[in-house]
Amino acid sequence: MAAEIVNPRSDSDASTELDGGAEPLHSFDPAFALHRGGKMAVQATVPVRDKDDLSLAYTPGVAKVCSAIADQPDLVHDYTWKSSVVAVVTDGTAVLGLGDIGPEASLPVMEGKAILFKQFGGVDAVPIALNCTDVDEIVETVVRLAPSFGGVNLEDISAPRCFEIERRLQEELDIPVFHDDQHGTAVVTLAALRNAARLSGRALGELRAVISGAGAAGVAIARMLVEAGIGDVAVADRKGVVSRDRDDLTSVKRELAEFTNKAGLSGSLESALAGADVFIGVSGGTVPEPAVASMAEGAFVFAMANPNPEVHPDVAHKYAAVVATGRSDFPNQINNVLAFPGIFAGALQVRASRITEGMKLAAAEALAAVVGDDLAADYVIPSPFDDRVAPAVTAAVAAAARAEGVARR
């Protein structure tokens, strides 16, 4: 039963009979009321009503199924939940905009991710918050857990460790491993950008983009835009544009410099925005209005930091033809929930061994196509509650997996 919301007593230091003095007064905030007791539970899919049911669901009947799987390991996909369940794994080091808050404090987010998997993609998911941050330990732990799952969604793991963790798990496991902070963000961004370009009558190859933020999301967005054929894209970190002439780059940023910034830009983010067609913000901070004003006519501003966009929509609309944010209270919300449920549903449907670049590009194309003829400046990306989204992404990802030879059914 849902927790009842009760008005707090006037004494701000007083505890209540409801919480037994164990919870802070802000537990009466509706968000706390919704989270009381957690947001998810395990539910059986078969009944256990009597001894006959018990003998089938558990011993002795279950032994027959175990023996069959031992003889034919692939049967695990047909006779357990493995092919329909994802592990949502974090170490709590990069949670939302809260930073390194630890595994236990990350659990509300991981539970939320799990219920979104189920709500929007029909995929069961289990939150797993690890009490370790060492790359080797995380990889070893997930590899040991993997037999129970059909896929692994990495979540809220700080850069640059997240890149190595994902790469190594993809090498060691034969199930999809997907870091949503990178690729989910990139898929939805590309979908919105495709439609913004279509609205303006331009091709992606005609656009020059500037990304603020060279972390997990920024790197993945840059890579996906290049794969999709963007004219050029430059990425800026706290020290300015990532370019080959900088001697302070990490290995990830050195690689980034190799496939971005064909124009050879250097200097500040603000200087790079002069004449740019697209701004994509995944870093927080604030972009000065004069820098936005210096962008090309008919520019697109995707300011996706939460809760405060890098460019407030009121400012962006003065200069941009299309404005998107990460917030639900403005049009064109770039929300990962548009991507990850369908991506995993499609991958699991065909028992894909991994999620390829082609599968991600297919997801972006399918997501963009949902908008169809309703395309408008305030509608370049569909709502998460549009029931066409997950089926379209699922079908596109499954088809791409088959085309790329990673499907196993």
Side-chain angles (χ1 to χ4, degrees):
M1 183 174 65
E4 182 182 3
I5 301 174
V6 182
N7 290 327
R9 291 164 56 181
S10 59
D11 181 357
S12 62
D13 292 325
S15 60
T16 67
E17 292 180 4
L18 179 64
D19 67 18
E23 298 182 29
L25 195 59
H26 58 209
S27 64
F28 296 106
D29 182 294
F32 281 82
L34 182 143
H35 284 77
R36 186 185 292 275
K39 298 192 293 288
M40 57 185 296
V42 174
Q43 180 177 336
T45 59
V46 297
V48 183
R49 299 160 298 196
D50 51 37
K51 66 177 184 179
D52 291 332
D53 288 345
L54 181 60
S55 69
L56 291 173
Y58 201 55
T59 185
V62 72
K64 296 179 182 178
V65 181
C66 293
S67 297
I69 294 171
D71 290 338
Q72 301 180 58
D74 281 351
L75 292 178
V76 69
H77 298 285
D78 299 312
Y79 294 104
T80 73
W81 76 342
K82 180 180 174 73
S83 280
S84 62
V85 66
V86 170
V88 181
V89 178
T90 189
D91 64 358
T93 55
V95 181
L96 303 177
L98 303 173
D100 185 355
I101 60 175
E104 289 170 324
S106 76
L107 271 176
V109 176
M110 300 311 115
E111 288 184 2
K113 199 79 172 190
I115 65 174
L116 296 180
F117 264 112
K118 188 66 172 181
Q119 174 75 22
F120 293 104
V123 174
D124 290 300
V126 177
I128 298 177
L130 301 179
N131 189 24
C132 61
T133 59
D134 179 79
V135 169
D136 292 337
E137 291 180 357
I138 291 174
V139 170
E140 180 181 4
T141 301
V142 176
V143 168
R144 291 179 183 276
L145 290 169
S148 296
F149 299 99
V152 175
N153 184 93
L154 299 174
E155 190 77 17
D156 293 349
I157 299 173
S158 63
R161 295 175 311 115
C162 60
F163 300 112
E164 182 180 358
I165 290 168
E166 183 187 48
R167 177 186 60 78
R168 287 177 54 184
L169 287 173
Q170 288 172 337
E171 291 172 354
E172 294 196 36
L173 298 177
D174 66 347
I175 58 175
V177 177
F178 184 85
H179 184 207
D180 186 54
D181 300 322
Q182 293 182 60
H183 311 301
T185 306
V187 165
V188 183
T189 301
L190 175 58
L193 186 57
R194 281 191 181 283
N195 276 338
R198 180 163 70 94
L199 183 67
S200 68
R202 288 178 285 176
L204 285 179
E206 300 174 48
L207 304 177
R208 178 171 73 84
V210 177
I211 299 173
S212 175
V219 171
I221 292 169
R223 190 179 298 279
M224 182 160 281
L225 293 185
V226 170
E227 289 277 348
I230 192 81
D232 195 9
V233 56
V235 184
D237 61 11
R238 291 183 181 88
K239 297 182 179 180
V241 175
V242 174
S243 58
R244 294 182 183 182
D245 60 0
R246 281 178 50 179
D247 59 7
D248 61 345
L249 300 179
T250 65
S251 60
V252 171
K253 292 179 184 178
R254 284 197 299 272
E255 181 182 357
L256 181 65
E258 291 298 319
F259 68 86
T260 62
N261 195 14
K262 291 187 293 187
L265 300 176
S266 59
S268 67
L269 167 72
E270 290 80 6
S271 65
L273 281 174
D277 302 292
V278 185
F279 168 75
I280 297 171
V282 284
S283 66
T286 302
V287 177
E289 184 170 343
V292 182
S294 74
M295 295 179 68
E297 184 178 355
F300 313 140
V301 172
F302 292 3
M304 303 186 312
N306 269 318
N308 300 312
E310 294 89 347
V311 183
H312 192 279
D314 292 344
V315 173
H317 279 296
K318 294 180 184 180
Y319 312 102
V322 176
V323 177
T325 72
R327 289 173 46 157
S328 60
D329 53 346
F330 293 108
N332 296 327
Q333 183 190 20
I334 307 295
N335 191 329
N336 288 16
V337 76
L338 289 163
F340 69 81
I343 288 173
F344 268 99
L348 293 174
Q349 185 181 95
V350 297
R351 295 182 191 166
S353 58
R354 58 194 177 95
I355 295 173
T356 65
E357 290 300 313
M359 292 161 72
K360 288 181 278 189
L361 290 170
E365 291 170 5
L367 182 55
V370 170
V371 169
D373 294 336
D374 295 324
L375 180 65
D378 62 354
Y379 185 57
V380 298
I381 199 74
S383 163
F385 297 99
D386 187 326
D387 58 13
R388 299 171 297 171
V389 167
V393 174
T394 299
V397 168
R402 291 190 175 102
E404 298 204 342
V406 297
R408 290 177 286 196
R409 76 168 182 184

